[in-house]
Amino acid sequence: MPRTAARTRWRLGLTTTALLTAAALVPPPAHAEDATDYAITVDPSAHGTKIDDTMYGVFFEDINRAADGGLYAELVQNRSFEYSTADNGSYTPLTSWSVGGTAQVVGDAGRLNERNRNYLSLGAGSSVTNSGYNTGIRVEQGKRYDFSVWARAASGSTLTVVLKDAAGSLATARQVAVKGGWAKYRATFTATRTSNRGRLAVASADAVALDEVSLFPRETYKNQPNGLRKDLAEKIAALKPGFVRFPGGCLVNTGSMEDYSEASNWQRKRSYQWKDTIGPVEERATNANFWGYNQSYGLGYYEYFRFSEDIGAMPLPVVPALVTGCGQNKATDDEALLKRHIQDTLDLIEFANGPATSTWGKVRARMGHPKPFHLTHLGVGNEENLPEEFFARFERFRTAIKAKYPDITVISNSGPDDAGTTFDTAWQLNREGKVDMVDEHYYNSPNWFLQNNDRYDSYDREGPKVFLGEYASQGNAWKNGLAEAAFMTGLERNADVVKLASYAPLLANEDYVQWRPDMIWFNNRASWNSANYEVQKLFMNNVGDRVIPSTATGTPHVSGPITGAVGLSTWATSAAYDDVLVTSADGSTLFGDDFSGDASKWKHNGTGSWSVQDGAYVQTDTAAENTMVTAGDPAWKDYDLHVKATKKSGKEGFLVAFGVKDTGTYYWWNLGGWNNTQSAIEQAVSGGKGTLMTKAGSIETGRAYDIDIKVRGRQVTLFLDGKEWGSFTDDKPAEPFRQVVTQDARTGDLIVKVVNARSAEARTAVDLGGAKVAATARVTTLAADETAVNTETDTPVTPVASTFRGVAKKFTYTFPAHSVTFLRIKQS
C-alpha cells in the first residue's frame, strides 16, 4: 500500500508496542496445516561462517553532483570563479553568476594564492548574484547561514550582501567593510522565510576583488566546519555502514596523473589525488570532474576521514595505479611519476595513522584532528581494463606499502565486469600474486542477480578475499531491490569469501544525473530513499555475526528452448546489413531478405534512421543508441541466423539479436561494443541487460563480416567469418525464492531473511532444527508492486514492522508476493 514520505520511521530495536504499528498491513501467516510452497530447514548446531562487522558499507563517488551541490553543504555554486570549458563545454568562469554593472574574472598575479587561479574584479557600484544549485539556494525560516568571502580593496569599500528571491528579501542585508590586501570577511544571516529559489547577491560601493564566496548552513552534520548536508549525511549514517569507500570510481583512474602546478601547466583533467584536497579550502586545487562538471575539492580527504569516523565506519580510500580505465585504457610509463604516486600513498597512510609529530600527522593535527583515523584498508586502482599493466604497477605499490606498513590490507581489482578475458586474467594475476583482497564491480539486470545467488559458492576459500566494491541491478524499481536482496543472501552465505560489499552509486541530485540507478536521491530542498536503499538498510542494520547453515527448497523450473525472432541494431554507429537468412534445424528457410526491394518485413522498434540503400539495410544515425529493427516469429526455436554486416562509421560495431520476445527481452551479439574494444553476448530481460560472455576485439570500418548464430535448445554457438567465436548455454534458473539465516551474538536472535520475488505469496514451512525459541518474532517487511519506485512525494517501498506470535521449532509463515522479510526470533 503506497504511503507518503511523512511516514513513521522504524528500527528493529523498537519496543513491542511500536512494532505493532501497521501490523495490519502485513498479510497474516498461514496456518500450520496449510499446504506449503517452500520449506526452509535450519541447522542451529552447525558452525557457520563468521560475518565481519565491516561486511556492508557505502561507496561515495562525486558523480551526479554527489559532492558539490550534494553532500558538501556549500550553497554557492562556482564560489571561486574556477569553472572552465575544461570541465564542461558550456562553462565559463561566471557560470551560475549574473552581473549587474561591470565585472570580470581575472587570472593575474594579484590572485588570492597560486592554486586558486581566478578571482573576480568587481567594478564600483556593481554586483554579482549566485543562483546556487537546482532551483536556487535553499533557506529555511529561522535557520542561520554563514557567509564568508575573501576580498581586497586597496582604497577600501563596503560590500552589501543580500539573500533574496523573486518575491524579495530572505534575510536582513549585511554590510561588510573591506580594506587592504586579501582577507577573509564573514557575516551571518537568519532566514526570515523559507525559499527554494534563493539568490546570494554581493554589491560593492567601490572597486573590489572577490574570491571564495561562500554560504553555509549553520546546521551541518555534527555541526562540523566545512561540513556536510545534514539530511544526506543522516541517511548514510542510518545505514550503519561498516566502511566508506572513496573517492572513486572513475575519478581515481582517469585523466592525467600529473599534479596541479606550473610544471604541468595547471593540468585540469587529473586523476583524484589526495594532497590536492587537504588544507584550507581556499588553497585546495580545482579539477575537471570525469562526469562532466567541476569539483572544488571542498569535500576532500580530511572530510572523508572525519565523516567515516563520525558514523563509526572504516575509511577505505582508493588511489591511482597509473593505469587509466573507464574507456581511456592507457598505462603511464614514467618512472619518476610512479615513484611520486607511491610516495604519495605512503604519505596518505601517515596522514591517516601517523602521530601528530610526524610530517603528515602534523598536517592532520593542524586541520583539527590530532588523533589518528585508524586506516586499515587501502585500494590501489579501479576497474583497469589492462590487467597485466595494472598488476605490474600494483605490485610496486603493494611492495612499498607492506615494507613500511605491513598491517595494511592492500586491495587489487578485477576490472570493470563480472566475467570475461580481463576478469579472468586479472584474477589469475591476483591469485598468483597472493593478493590480500580483490575488488569486483558489476552492474547487471535483475534477472542476472536472481540467477547468480551462488556466484561465490565455488570461490577458493583460501584464495584472495573479495571486496564487492560496486554493484547494482539496472534500475530503482522494487524489482531491482528484490533482485539485489536475493543476491545479498548469497553474499552473507559466503561471508568467508566476500568480506566487504557496497552498492553503488550512493547519491544522485535529480537535476544533474550522469548515471542510474542510485541509492539516495535529492534536490536542493529534500532527499528520499530509493527502494534499493531500503533493502540495503534492512540488511546493514541486521547483519548478524555468524551464518547459521540452512537450506530451502527451490522453485519448480520448466526451461524450454530459447525462442524468439531476430533483430539488427547499432549503437552510436552507422552500419549496413545484407543477406539475412534464418533456417530451421532441418535446413528449411524460415526467413530471408537480401534487401533487393523494400524493408517491409522489418519492424523498427528503436531510434535511428533506417533505409534500403544499394541492396542493403542501412542505419545512418551515428548518435542514436539501440536502433533495433526486428523480423520473424517470436515462437521460432532451433534455428540458424546468418547476417552480413559492414560498419560504415561511428564509435562501435554491430548488434545482431536473436531470441527476441519484445523490445525489452532478447539476446544480442554485441560486436565491437564499449567504444569498439570488446565483443559480448548480452541478455535483456524486461529491459535490464546482463553480460553472458565477453571477449576483447574490435570491428574494422568498411569491411564486410559474415555473422552466424546457431540456436539449439538453450545452447547458442556463434561464428564470425566462418570461425567459431564462442558458445554458451543459458540454462541457469532465475530463482525468485532465496533465504539466509544469521545469528546476532549480542541478542542471541536468529535472523531469518527471506526474499520472495514471485508475483504470488509463498507459504513456507520453517524448521528451526530443534532450536529453543520464543513464541514471538519481530518482523520487518518490505513489499510493493514490482514496478514501484520511491519518489520525493511517494514512497511505496517502505519498511513495515509487526509481530508474529506463531513461532515454534516448526512453523509456517506466508511471505507476501514481491517481498523481503526479516524475522528476528529470540532463542530461549
Side-chain angles (χ1 to χ4, degrees), residues 228-307:
L228 306 181
R229 179 171 151 173
K230 190 169 183 287
D231 63 326
L232 294 179
E234 286 177 343
K235 280 180 164 52
I236 299 169
L239 294 167
K240 298 182 180 177
F243 65 87
V244 178
R245 174 178 175 246
F246 60 88
C250 289
L251 304 189
V252 167
N253 68 335
T254 55
S256 165
M257 300 294 166
E258 300 288 344
D259 62 1
Y260 189 60
S261 67
E262 185 175 8
S264 70
N265 195 28
W266 307 104
Q267 177 62 247
R268 285 293 291 263
K269 294 186 175 182
R270 309 183 312 284
S271 62
Y272 196 111
Q273 299 172 47
W274 78 273
K275 290 180 180 177
D276 287 341
T277 76
I278 61 169
V281 292
E282 69 274 7
E283 295 177 9
R284 298 184 188 183
T286 189
N287 202 9
N289 183 292
F290 173 80
W291 299 107
Y293 52 91
N294 175 273
Q295 55 189 145
S296 71
Y297 289 143
L299 174 55
Y301 256 71
Y302 176 75
E303 289 76 26
Y304 285 129
F305 278 122
R306 191 180 64 193
F307 180 52

Side-chain angles (χ1 to χ4, degrees), residues 317-340:
V318 182
V319 299
L322 274 72
V323 179
T324 55
C326 302
Q328 296 182 359
N329 301 338
K330 179 182 178 182
T332 299
D333 292 314
D334 184 326
E335 182 64 18
L337 194 57
L338 176 62
K339 287 181 177 179
R340 194 266 288 177

Side-chain angles (χ1 to χ4, degrees), residues 345-424:
T345 302
L346 297 175
D347 293 344
L348 169 61
I349 299 171
E350 183 176 285
F351 176 78
N353 292 352
T357 55
S358 65
T359 301
W360 289 99
K362 189 179 299 182
V363 174
R364 181 194 69 238
R366 283 201 303 264
M367 294 185 73
H369 202 285
K371 294 182 179 180
F373 283 117
H374 306 295
L375 175 67
T376 60
H377 291 62
L378 184 141
V380 176
N382 170 76
E383 293 189 7
E384 283 74 24
N385 212 20
L386 301 171
E388 291 90 352
E389 291 88 339
F390 161 74
F391 198 77
R393 289 155 182 79
F394 169 84
E395 285 196 305
R396 295 280 300 277
F397 278 84
R398 182 176 58 161
T399 298
I401 294 168
K402 289 293 188 181
K404 191 168 184 180
Y405 302 105
D407 294 334
I408 296 289
T409 297
V410 186
I411 303 171
S412 180
N413 74 80
S414 59
D417 300 304
D418 62 273
T421 303
T422 296
F423 179 87
D424 292 340

